[in-house]
């Protein structure tokens, strides 16, 4: 029986998980950026000059990509910072694109000029995700420190759409742009796209900074429910099972993905078949979690992956969370717990309150989404 792409991807992911292959990778090429977003988890607080001096070279990234391919990576995301801010991004991207990966890009879109678009069209990525941080220059000024970035981002999205490149729009909502959420949805729909929401704003990965401007748990819960209603409006009858003609394959895939949640402390595929390499060459489980870590540049990619996988399997669980009656409704994980509390084994007040607020909202008969920003947290 022929497989569609969703089925094939699930089958490959299952195989990689069972063999603990590094199937899904993310390369953080830089943390330099032309925006200065207060909620950015990757910002290190260093000057651009210092960052540039410490970034891995183009040749090193290309070499790591070759090793990753040989080790079993198929899906590779190139992210930042802002990837188009790197002067040698074109060299890195062209070499990696020729290797056979399914390459995706994360960008703020503001540096995708006509010149960049003419080049990118020749070797388009499988997908590019563009971050939209507001619905006006004024909001962009408050969130990103770059008022001109608003129109430049829209221009970048327009160019990508006109070129036929698969583009997605996502946003991160904090106090400074919460009032723009409805207009951001409209802007996405103007491009015949859906607005995707980052469901959690993490303290800084490297700085531990918690002054991110994120919403209070109650505000975030209301926002999440609002977006759930929006997604259900867009695809009211969609069921994951409908992608599969072969229901046996679907149920095997479902069992595999559920196994993620039950094997070790990570309720996802971090350290099981996925990894993240930081701008200065550390391999870590995911973008927000700085430990455990290994060093692919000095250890070699394969040894670094094996080292990381072992260390991830040894990360302790939070016993308090394990015993909590709301565990099944909570999205806590080692990365979130560590960033919130400084420990893998302490419950995070923000996540606890968010879970309670979510439960409370989903038991209410009527929803009120007005006034997302009534309090600070």
């Amino acid at each position: 029986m022929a497989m569609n792409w969703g089925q094939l991807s699930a089958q490959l992911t299952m195989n990689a998980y069972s063999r603990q292959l590094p199937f899904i990778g993310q390369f953080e090429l830089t943390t330099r950026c032309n925006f200065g977003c207060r909620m950015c988890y990757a910002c290190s607080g260093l000057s651009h000059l210092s960052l540039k001096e410490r970034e891995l070279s183009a040749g090193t990234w290309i070499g790591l990509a070759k090793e990753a391919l040989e080790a079993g990576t198929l899906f590779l995301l190139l992210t930042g910072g802002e990837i188009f801010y790197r002067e040698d991004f074109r060299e890195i991207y062209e070499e990696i694109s020729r290797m056979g990966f399914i390459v995706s890009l994360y960008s703020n879109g503001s540096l995708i000029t006509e010149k960049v678009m003419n080049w990118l069209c020749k070797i388009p990525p499988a997908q590019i995700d563009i971050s939209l941080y507001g619905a006006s220059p004024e909001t962009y000024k408050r969130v990103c420190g770059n008022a001109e970035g608003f129109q430049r981002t829209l221009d970048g999205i327009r160019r990508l759409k006109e070129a036929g490149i698969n583009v997605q729009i996502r946003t991160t909502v904090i106090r400074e742009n919460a009032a723009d959420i409805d207009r951001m949805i409209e802007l996405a729909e103007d491009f015949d796209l859906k607005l995707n929401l980052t469901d959690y704003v993490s303290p800084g990965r490297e700085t531990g900074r918690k002054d991110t401007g994120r919403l209070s748990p109650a505000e975030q819960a209301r926002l999440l429910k609002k977006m759930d209603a929006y997604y259900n409006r867009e695809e009211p009858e969609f069921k994951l099972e409908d992608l599969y003609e072969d229901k046996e394959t679907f149920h095997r895939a479902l069992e595999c993905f559920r196994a993620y949640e039950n094997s070790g402390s990570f309720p996802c595929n971090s350290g099981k078949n996925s990894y993240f390499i930081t701008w200065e060459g550390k391999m870590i489980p995911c973008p927000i979690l700085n430990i455990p870590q290994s060093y692919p540049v000095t250890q070699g990619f394969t040894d670094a992956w094996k080292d990381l996988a072992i260390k991830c399997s040894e990360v302790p669980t939070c016993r308090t969370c394990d015993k909590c009656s709301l565990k099944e409704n909570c999205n806590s994980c080692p990365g979130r717990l560590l960033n919130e509390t400084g420990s893998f084994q302490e419950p995070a007040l923000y996540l606890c309150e968010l879970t309670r607020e979510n439960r409370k909202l989903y038991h209410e008969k009527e929803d009120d989404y007005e006034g997302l920003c009534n309090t600070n947290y």
Side-chain angles (χ1 to χ4, degrees):
M1 181 180 295
M3 286 186 178
N4 61 31
W5 173 241
Q7 291 171 292
L8 177 60
S9 176
Q11 185 65 57
L12 291 171
T13 302
M14 285 190 290
N15 292 344
Y17 173 67
S18 63
R19 298 171 61 189
Q20 205 166 44
L21 296 176
F23 188 58
I24 303 167
Q26 299 182 55
F27 285 4
E28 183 183 58
L29 301 182
T30 182
T31 56
R32 288 183 291 146
C33 188
N34 59 320
F35 288 177
C37 304
R38 66 179 298 189
M39 68 286 191
C40 180
Y41 65 80
C43 180
S44 65
L46 299 175
S47 69
H48 276 196
L49 179 60
S50 297
L51 291 171
K52 185 175 181 179
E53 290 174 347
R54 290 170 54 183
E55 288 173 356
L56 298 187
S57 68
T60 301
W61 280 118
I62 293 166
L64 284 173
K66 291 176 181 177
E67 292 184 55
L69 186 67
E70 292 174 0
T73 299
L74 177 60
F75 293 97
L76 185 60
L77 169 67
L78 304 182
T79 185
E82 174 49 49
I83 52 176
F84 291 101
Y85 203 80
R86 270 194 76 132
E87 297 81 354
D88 54 4
F89 174 68
R90 179 170 178 168
E91 176 188 356
I92 296 170
Y93 177 73
E94 288 182 353
E95 288 294 326
I96 287 177
S97 294
R98 296 188 185 106
M99 294 182 192
F101 295 105
I102 297 173
V103 179
S104 298
L105 308 177
Y106 276 3
S107 170
N108 64 39
S110 67
L111 300 181
I112 301 178
T113 61
E114 291 289 353
K115 181 179 180 180
V116 169
M117 199 67 255
N118 291 337
W119 158 69
L120 196 61
C121 283
K122 299 174 183 177
I123 40 174
Q127 179 173 306
I128 180 166
D129 282 36
I130 302 297
S131 297
L132 181 66
Y133 292 126
S136 70
E138 292 77 18
T139 302
Y140 260 68
K141 179 65 175 178
R142 291 195 302 270
V143 176
C144 312
N146 189 328
E148 294 179 352
F150 171 64
Q151 188 58 51
R152 290 177 179 175
T153 296
L154 296 185
D155 290 343
I157 296 171
R158 175 183 53 78
R159 292 181 180 117
L160 291 165
K161 286 287 292 183
E162 290 175 351
I165 291 177
N166 181 18
V167 58
Q168 301 291 321
I169 300 178
R170 59 196 181 105
T171 190
T172 300
V173 173
I174 59 174
R175 292 192 298 271
E176 284 82 351
N177 65 356
D180 283 21
I181 185 65
D182 289 328
R183 180 58 185 143
M184 285 193 282
I185 290 174
E186 293 174 359
L187 286 172
E189 291 178 341
D190 287 344
F191 290 107
D192 196 26
L193 295 171
K194 182 171 64 177
L195 182 70
N196 299 294
L197 176 72
T198 300
D199 66 355
Y200 169 70
V201 178
S202 172
R205 184 186 71 213
E206 300 189 28
T207 63
R209 177 184 175 185
K210 295 186 178 181
D211 181 24
T212 57
R214 68 183 178 184
L215 305 182
S216 72
E219 293 166 339
Q220 183 71 7
R222 293 166 66 196
L223 173 64
L224 292 173
K225 191 171 185 186
K226 177 185 178 72
M227 296 306 288
D228 277 349
Y230 163 62
Y231 299 141
N232 289 335
R233 183 197 75 192
E234 294 293 304
E235 298 176 344
E237 303 299 327
F238 174 77
K239 295 180 181 178
L240 184 61
E241 186 174 356
D242 294 340
L243 293 176
Y244 294 79
E245 293 181 12
D246 180 356
K247 302 306 178 186
E248 181 180 346
T249 300
F250 168 75
H251 289 293
R252 283 194 290 113
L254 192 62
E255 289 175 6
C256 174
F257 296 128
R258 283 176 176 167
Y260 286 155
E261 301 177 1
N262 299 319
S263 58
S265 57
F266 288 88
C268 61
N269 55 357
S270 295
K272 299 167 187 175
N273 68 359
S274 73
Y275 61 90
F276 185 96
I277 299 180
T278 71
W279 60 282
E280 54 184 346
K282 294 182 290 189
M283 182 183 285
I284 54 179
C286 73
I288 68 169
L289 182 56
N290 213 22
I291 58 172
Q293 57 189 230
S294 59
Y295 306 92
V297 176
T298 55
Q299 292 177 266
F301 181 92
T302 298
D303 286 344
W305 164 249
K306 291 177 180 178
D307 186 20
L308 181 70
I310 291 171
K311 289 175 178 175
C312 285
S313 70
E314 296 172 346
V315 169
T317 61
C318 173
R319 293 183 180 180
T320 302
C321 294
D322 286 343
K323 296 175 182 178
C324 180
S325 61
L326 296 179
K327 179 181 178 182
E328 298 304 315
N329 305 104
C330 182
N331 289 324
S332 70
C333 69
R336 295 181 180 188
L337 291 181
L338 187 69
N339 285 344
E340 294 283 346
T341 71
S343 170
F344 290 124
Q345 297 177 278
E346 295 292 331
L349 177 62
Y350 184 89
L351 299 176
C352 295
E353 293 189 5
L354 176 58
T355 302
R356 293 190 190 100
E357 292 293 337
N358 277 328
R359 288 270 297 185
K360 188 190 304 181
L361 272 182
Y362 277 92
H363 283 83
E364 292 177 353
K365 292 182 179 180
E366 295 183 359
D367 303 322
D368 175 15
Y369 300 127
E370 297 300 324
L372 284 169
C373 294
N374 296 323
T375 61
N376 293 338
Y377 192 88

